[in-house]
Amino acid sequence: MEKEFVQIISQNQGIIHKVCSIYCDSEEDRRDLFQEILAQLWKSFPSFRSESKFSTWMYRVALNTAITSFKKNKRQPDKSGIDVENFQLAVEEYDHETEEQIKLLYKAIANLSGIEKSIVLLYLENKKYEEIAEITGISQNYVRVKMNRIKKKLKKYMNI
């Protein structure tokens, strides 16, 4: 089971990196949240029933962990039952020019609420409203309404 988990997480670790980037300002907080999400995924992995895509389930766990952590404002990962050193995940490399543009967007996104951050992250990942609704647990119509409001807020924050 551990080998399967490591393989699936390695293939989908970009999801965790993106969630951490949206919810954390410092590199240290991103690393802590990454570990916390990884621990929650490991703890929840036996309950994954393949009723939805793995990436959908992974987003849901990652976003719920990030929102909970964001609300608590504590960054102490729960490492019980998991040896993070055994996973040896490679850190994804990003293009620096693109990263600067993304930082500007993240700065604007930082002004949003927890659920708004989740919605915009999934939207930027080209998720359909139906899948965003499934991941966030809100109705598809409410996702559309929230997304329109979020777009207006981001334009205001970015002075567009």
Side-chain angles (χ1 to χ4, degrees):
M1 183 169 83
E2 185 176 320
K3 191 175 185 177
E4 178 185 4
F5 178 77
V6 171
Q7 181 182 13
I8 292 172
I9 294 298
S10 293
Q11 293 168 353
N12 293 282
Q13 68 176 312
I15 291 170
I16 303 172
H17 287 291
K18 289 169 188 157
V19 170
C20 293
S21 293
I22 290 287
Y23 283 90
C24 300
D25 294 329
S26 74
E27 184 61 35
E28 182 180 340
D29 286 345
R30 283 190 286 274
R31 281 193 304 268
D32 289 347
L33 183 57
F34 185 93
Q35 288 181 353
E36 191 171 337
I37 291 170
L38 192 60
Q40 289 301 319
L41 286 166
W42 173 249
K43 200 184 317 184
S44 304
F45 188 63
S47 66
F48 175 62
R49 297 181 304 262
S50 300
E51 292 173 1
S52 61
K53 291 191 290 186
F54 182 82
S55 61
T56 300
W57 174 81
M58 189 173 178
Y59 264 119
R60 183 171 216 147
V61 172
L63 290 169
N64 286 337
T65 303
I67 289 170
T68 300
S69 182
F70 181 74
K71 285 180 183 175
K72 285 185 203 174
N73 209 13
K74 293 181 183 176
R75 304 287 189 228
Q76 298 176 355
D78 175 18
K79 298 179 187 174
S80 59
I82 186 170
D83 185 3
V84 178
E85 293 174 3
N86 288 338
F87 291 116
Q88 300 174 354
L89 296 175
V91 177
E92 292 185 352
E93 296 294 327
Y94 292 102
D95 177 11
H96 294 289
E97 283 183 38
T98 303
E99 180 114 2
E100 288 303 314
Q101 293 172 349
I102 291 172
K103 283 181 183 178
L104 293 173
L105 179 60
Y106 283 172
K107 196 172 187 179
I109 291 171
N111 294 304
L112 302 175
S113 72
I115 190 68
E116 290 172 334
K117 288 179 184 180
S118 301
I119 292 169
V120 78
L121 172 67
L122 295 168
Y123 180 81
L124 292 172
E125 286 291 309
N126 295 319
K127 300 293 182 190
K128 295 179 182 174
Y129 287 130
E130 180 181 356
E131 193 170 1
I132 294 172
E134 182 182 344
I135 291 168
T136 59
I138 59 178
S139 75
Q140 190 173 341
N141 191 43
Y142 191 58
V143 169
R144 290 180 198 282
V145 170
K146 288 294 280 181
M147 196 60 229
N148 284 329
R149 292 178 184 161
I150 291 167
K151 286 178 184 177
K152 288 177 185 174
K153 282 184 179 182
L154 290 175
K155 284 180 183 179
K156 177 183 160 191
Y157 295 141
M158 297 175 78
N159 298 319
I160 297 176

